[in-house]
Amino acid sequence: MTSQYRNRWKRVLLVLSQLALLASSAAAGSGTTDYYRHILFDNSLETDAYFNSDGRASAPSVLELVSKRLPVSHAQFFTPPNAIRLKWRSEPKGGWAAQIRVMRFRNREIDFRGDTLFFWMFSEESISGSALPLIRLSERDNNFSESVSLGQYVARLPPKKWTQVAIPLEAFKSASFHEFVPVHASEVVFSQGEADGVDHTLILDEFKIDERANTATDAESNASLSAPTNVRAKGYDRHIDISWDASAVPDLERYIIYRSFDGVDFQPAGIQIPGNHRYTDFLSKSGAKAFYKVAASDHRYQLSPFSEVVTASTRALSDDELLTMLQEACFRYYWEGAHPDAGMALENIPGDDRVVATGASGFGIMALIVGVDRGFITREEGLQRLIRIVDFLEKAPRYHGVWSHFMDGTTKQTLSVFGMFDNGGDLVETAFLMEGLLSARQYFKGTSAAEKDLFARITRLWETVEWDWYEQSPQGGALFWHWSPQWDWYINHRITGFNEAMIVYMLAIASPTHGVPPDLYYSGWANQPEVGSRYRSDWSGTKEGDRYVNGHSYYGIKLDVGVGSGGPVFFAHYSYMGFDPRGLRDRFTNYFENNRHMAQINYQYCIHNPGHYQGYGKDFWGLTASDGSKGYMPHEPTPRVDDGTMTFTGALSSFPYTPAESMAVFKHIYRDLGDRVWGVYGPRDAINLSEDWESPIFMGLNQAPIVVMIENYRSGLIWKLFMSNPEIHPMLDRIGFKPDVGNRAAQQNKEKTRAKSATRSSSREQPQVR
């Protein structure tokens, strides 16, 4: 297939997908893969210097840098709201080089589609072609091209005018030991050209690789662009959400949002990529009024007509209103951002549009229930989404009833994202999914035919999970994480606590059809002999808590169960989104209190801040696992695995345990850091203030716990639903859970006090668990 034919076919598919999105509310995640098949750089998340850049100069040449990175321009840009500033002086016997790297995020494949490198340049003064820098491309594994003179393509850069540069990829000849492949380029490198001894400044923006025939600005005009319709604006405490209906435009490249504070002078405020029809404009104060209009832009940067103008104002919100705002924003990840075919949660946004995550979808189902109960969507809308999810799950591959970790949202096939051995069932992800499905079974338990049918179908899915198969053998003494029909038990990952996986053993023991003995809870999950001890000490690097029981105190706070100082705080969230641990204890602890202590230790660690990381304190805590600037790390309150990265779900999902401390974090990150981290799905995944880095993604595993655990704090809704399943209390009895009377009474008193300041709206009925 020729590149030209492939490109035409790709555009046809894009049209079809966009038309489908018009009929679906689950559209926001769609389109990101195609967008990032072309875009190397559009905007910087960081306001001072672009994180994915660096540079160096050899005297007497000079290169302007901010913290060793290229500075960001806010005054001039081609795609709002910013661009990169390249300022240099080239001297004889000197040199300089500046690198602009592709933004990396989970599951992004660097495999660009096109034959030409495009980017835009701007200068206040005219620059001759000979004085412009040299340019080359390089791959992440150090393969690189020869330098190309920009002067070959720009004889003279005119002043005060944006000029597009188009360089055929075939011009970048390999200069490395291994062959350089231009479409795998992960870095654009500018370097010293003519040593003219003059200060020059270029503003650089919108780097992309695409087909020349489809993208060049001198190509035939596209007259089919239509204005976005049904534009809405809604004001919150410090930001305004702008949303609109999808534009069925074959060559849609982006939406451009224009803002005015007087209704007359509109300036471009930002962009949004295809498939996402919402933009968050953070104004940083209450009482601000703004006007907005939106235009669509195609691959040739031609604009559609503007939409109608809408207006909204920010206003001060109460604490209760702020929590609702946070829940609704994070909920959108699973409503607007879900896979359009499967209805399942995407692994991350932006990310690979194919990849739906099983565990994140279970969490998302619980978030959808909250969305219905809070009135974000109607009950019928929630029901139809659950039906779509169950349709998908019934047809997806199962491995003795267990789903894989990742699946293709369209084809339903297993995706081996974590390597070739991970091509079968994942028991932990399945448990998270079932935690959500069982909660939904109890919520959608009405008398209509549709709800009765959904109840029966979820019951069938639940009863066909073969938990006992994952015991490996009757003498196994534990459950195992993975099984593959090709590789059998090759991964051989024993599920041993304390971590996020307690719910696996609970559901396996509760199963009415494929249950495991309750003793497995103690021999597998809470295993105390050598096998459990070795497992815990190997991943944690400590002997504290390696026998399941801990008993040590950290910052004066005793931890009954857990390894070291508790680990990533998501250990206190995932199994307890459905399972209500209040007023109960097994032979080791009351897990509500133990989880509270885990969160409090995390809080105190960040106050003491042994690593001296920027920002840590009473309103900035909650270390937990995420993709940081250097990749994935299980961030936790120990110097060994703390690098300054703060993941917002840590504190925000701890509301049931630490309501005052969690609210302080929320107000700080929203009101003080919101212009950096607040987006269409609420807070971005993480930030590292010491490195001036913001996460480019939202994570499926991290947004839903915020929604659900805040709801459990406010109303106990998901706890009530999950615990009302008839299989749950007998399971707890078989394990040996007992009422913890003293702690339960104290907790009830705390809840009465808390309810006065966090009551649900009197205009809505309380949730009913049928």
Side-chain angles (χ1 to χ4, degrees):
M1 183 183 293
T2 67
S3 60
Q4 185 177 14
Y5 180 80
R6 181 185 65 209
N7 190 68
R8 288 176 180 172
W9 181 238
K10 179 175 65 178
R11 303 302 177 208
V12 171
L13 292 177
L14 182 60
V15 174
L16 294 175
S17 68
Q18 288 172 336
L19 289 173
L21 293 180
L22 289 170
S24 170
S25 62
S30 179
T32 60
T33 296
D34 186 74
Y35 182 80
Y36 288 106
R37 288 290 191 198
H38 300 286
I39 295 294
L40 286 84
F41 170 86
D42 54 11
N43 284 295
S44 171
L45 291 174
E46 298 77 27
T47 57
D48 296 327
Y50 181 49
F51 182 83
N52 298 295
S53 70
D54 52 65
R56 182 177 298 179
S58 301
S61 294
V62 176
L63 177 67
E64 181 189 40
L65 298 170
V66 175
S67 300
K68 300 182 180 180
R69 301 188 180 109
L70 294 176
V72 173
S73 167
H74 299 277
Q76 290 288 348
F77 48 77
F78 188 76
T79 54
N82 58 48
I84 293 174
R85 185 169 70 248
L86 181 66
K87 184 176 181 179
W88 77 93
R89 184 173 69 249
S90 298
E91 298 280 4
K93 299 183 179 179
W96 60 267
Q99 295 84 35
I100 299 171
R101 295 187 299 277
V102 169
M103 179 178 68
R104 300 300 295 240
F105 48 78
R106 183 178 293 212
N107 298 326
R108 180 174 188 179
E109 181 185 13
I110 304 301
D111 184 18
F112 291 103
R113 306 296 166 82
D115 57 19
T116 304
L117 171 69
F118 298 93
F119 61 95
W120 292 83
M121 299 194 304
F122 176 92
S123 174
E124 291 288 342
E125 299 177 351
S126 178
I127 304 177
S128 67
S130 61
L132 291 171
L134 305 178
I135 183 173
R136 71 171 70 200
L137 301 178
S138 71
E139 298 179 52
R140 198 174 191 185
D141 55 2
N142 293 323
N143 297 329
F144 51 90
S145 75
E146 295 177 349
S147 293
V148 174
S149 171
L150 282 180
Q152 296 180 44
Y153 301 93
V154 182
R156 174 168 290 277
L157 184 66
K160 302 181 186 301
K161 179 183 177 182
W162 281 100
T163 300
Q164 188 181 42
V165 182
I167 306 176
L169 292 185
E170 62 186 16
F172 295 99
K173 307 299 183 184
S174 179
S176 56
F177 179 71
H178 295 290
E179 186 66 21
F180 167 71
V181 181
V183 293
H184 295 164
S186 60
E187 188 176 66
V188 179
V189 183
F190 292 95
S191 59
Q192 178 164 314
E194 179 183 72
D196 60 1
V198 177
D199 289 331
H200 297 291
T201 301
L202 282 177
I203 308 300
L204 303 169
D205 206 354
E206 185 73 355
F207 288 78
K208 64 187 294 186
I209 291 176
D210 210 330
E211 301 288 344
R212 173 63 186 249
N214 296 320
T215 304
T217 55
D218 58 358
E220 183 181 349
S221 175
N222 180 359
S224 64
L225 284 172
S226 58
T229 59
N230 195 23
V231 179
R232 291 89 69 193
K234 183 177 180 179
Y236 293 90
D237 191 89
R238 297 288 194 274
H239 78 280
I240 294 176
D241 267 343
I242 305 95
S243 57
W244 56 91
D245 291 347
S247 296
V249 177
D251 268 349
L252 180 68
E253 177 85 343
R254 64 183 59 77
Y255 298 100
I256 304 178
I257 297 85
Y258 292 78
R259 180 214 301 132
S260 170
F261 290 111
D262 61 7
V264 177
D265 180 23
F266 282 86
Q267 298 296 325
I271 64 172
Q272 188 56 274
I273 69 176
N276 197 325
H277 316 121
R278 185 181 297 274
Y279 180 79
T280 294
D281 190 27
F282 205 88
L283 300 181
S284 298
K285 61 180 180 180
S286 295
K289 182 177 183 179
F291 302 80
Y292 300 93
K293 58 185 180 180
V294 184
S297 173
D298 67 9
H299 286 252
R300 303 176 186 91
Y301 304 97
Q302 297 174 110
L303 288 181
S304 73
F306 287 113
S307 72
E308 67 273 21
V309 174
V310 295
T311 185
S313 300
T314 57
R315 62 180 181 89
L317 300 184
S318 68
D319 286 2
D320 203 50
E321 289 173 316
L322 283 170
L323 290 180
T324 301
M325 176 193 78
L326 173 60
Q327 287 181 287
E328 183 176 13
C330 295
F331 153 83
R332 291 189 192 118
Y333 185 101
Y334 307 91
W335 182 245
E336 297 177 356
H339 191 280
D341 298 326
M344 299 271 283
L346 297 178
E347 166 74 343
N348 50 280
I349 301 174
D352 189 312
D353 297 342
R354 297 172 298 167
V355 183
V356 298
T358 299
S361 295
F363 296 170
I365 289 169
M366 291 183 272
L368 288 169
I369 295 169
V370 174
V372 172
D373 207 66
R374 285 272 161 195
F376 305 152
I377 55 175
T378 67
R379 186 179 184 90
E380 180 61 24
E381 287 174 322
L383 174 63
Q384 292 304 315
R385 176 60 59 84
L386 261 295
I387 291 172
R388 188 191 308 180
I389 291 171
V390 169
D391 284 344
F392 176 87
L393 293 172
E394 287 175 337
K395 299 178 179 68
R398 299 176 73 182
Y399 305 89
H400 288 278
V402 172
W403 291 273
S404 54
H405 191 149
F406 300 110
M407 292 172 278
D408 186 306
T410 299
T411 69
K412 306 175 181 63
Q413 296 306 303
T414 292
L415 296 176
S416 302
V417 175
F418 289 155
M420 65 180 178
F421 300 116
D422 184 33
N423 68 343
D426 187 307
L427 194 65
V428 174
E429 295 293 311
T430 295
F432 295 154
L433 174 64
M434 196 53 62
E435 190 178 11
L437 286 172
L438 289 176
S439 300
R441 184 177 72 162
Q442 297 305 100
Y443 191 83
F444 293 99
K445 198 179 180 182
T447 57
S448 71
E451 292 201 21
K452 287 182 177 180
D453 183 62
L454 179 65
F455 184 98
R457 293 169 72 187
I458 291 176
T459 299
R460 283 194 295 273
L461 292 176
W462 159 234
E463 292 179 350
T464 49
V465 177
E466 297 179 30
W467 306 91
D468 50 349
W469 173 265
Y470 284 77
E471 193 179 351
Q472 204 174 111
S473 72
Q475 297 77 38
L479 294 170
F480 287 78
W481 205 303
H482 308 90
W483 178 80
S484 159
Q486 181 179 5
W487 304 105
D488 203 55
W489 303 104
Y490 182 89
I491 295 179
N492 200 37
H493 191 156
R494 193 179 190 276
I495 303 174
T496 302
F498 188 83
N499 51 37
E500 73 273 30
M502 177 186 276
I503 195 68
V504 178
Y505 281 88
M506 289 183 158
L507 291 177
I509 295 166
S511 171
T513 53
H514 294 279
V516 302
D519 288 347
L520 217 63
Y521 179 87
Y522 296 99
S523 65
W525 169 252
N527 177 278
Q528 294 181 288
E530 182 63 27
V531 61
S533 173
R534 186 169 58 251
Y535 174 86
R536 298 182 189 100
S537 59
D538 282 351
W539 72 256
S540 68
T542 180
K543 289 289 185 180
E544 297 177 0
D546 68 330
R547 301 280 177 174
Y548 193 73
V549 173
N550 187 311
H552 292 82
S553 292
Y554 306 88
Y555 304 105
I557 303 164
K558 185 183 177 184
L559 194 64
D560 290 342
V561 166
V563 182
S565 55
V569 76
F570 78 86
F571 288 179
H573 304 151
Y574 290 4
S575 286
Y576 308 96
M577 293 168 68
F579 168 53
D580 181 0
R582 294 173 299 175
L584 295 172
R585 66 177 297 119
D586 63 5
R587 66 179 65 166
F588 304 109
T589 191
N590 174 314
Y591 287 96
F592 184 88
E593 293 303 318
N594 196 70
N595 290 345
R596 183 200 301 279
H597 293 168
M598 188 183 301
Q600 290 172 336
I601 291 166
N602 202 305
Y603 170 75
Q604 289 294 334
Y605 173 89
C606 291
I607 291 174
H608 286 79
N609 191 12
H612 306 289
Y613 292 113
Q614 185 175 336
Y616 280 26
K618 292 182 179 180
D619 56 5
F620 201 65
W621 63 274
L623 300 173
T624 195
S626 66
D627 291 344
S629 62
K630 303 175 184 68
Y632 173 82
M633 276 191 68
H635 311 286
E636 62 178 86
T638 60
R640 184 178 65 89
V641 282
D642 172 23
D643 67 352
T645 299
M646 193 63 66
T647 308
F648 300 125
T649 192
L652 300 183
S653 298
S654 295
F655 256 95
Y657 314 123
T658 53
E661 296 88 343
S662 295
M663 180 60 86
V665 171
F666 174 41
K667 288 182 177 179
H668 173 53
I669 65 174
Y670 176 69
R671 289 177 171 166
D672 301 329
L673 301 175
D675 60 336
R676 301 179 66 174
V677 303
W678 191 264
V680 294
Y681 305 125
R684 290 183 175 275
D685 204 48
I687 193 171
N688 190 315
L689 295 175
S690 298
E691 295 187 353
D692 191 26
W693 171 86
E694 291 92 21
S695 174
I697 66 170
F698 301 89
M699 275 292 295
L701 279 175
N702 289 346
Q703 301 304 94
I706 298 173
V707 181
V708 175
M709 293 302 273
I710 288 177
E711 192 58 40
N712 282 334
Y713 160 68
R714 299 177 81 181
S715 71
L717 172 65
I718 303 301
W719 280 340
K720 293 173 186 177
L721 291 168
F722 180 82
M723 298 297 285
S724 70
N725 281 282
E727 301 92 340
I728 300 305
H729 284 285
M731 169 270 294
L732 295 174
D733 292 340
R734 290 198 296 273
I735 290 174
F737 275 86
K738 303 291 183 183
D740 191 8
V741 179
N743 274 320
R744 180 58 175 166
Q747 178 61 25
Q748 286 174 338
N749 288 332
K750 290 176 183 177
E751 289 174 355
K752 289 177 182 178
T753 302
R754 184 182 65 199
K756 295 178 181 178
S757 60
T759 55
R760 302 185 65 166
S761 171
S762 60
S763 64
R764 293 193 300 111
E765 294 182 357
Q766 293 290 320
Q768 295 184 1
V769 181
R770 300 180 179 88

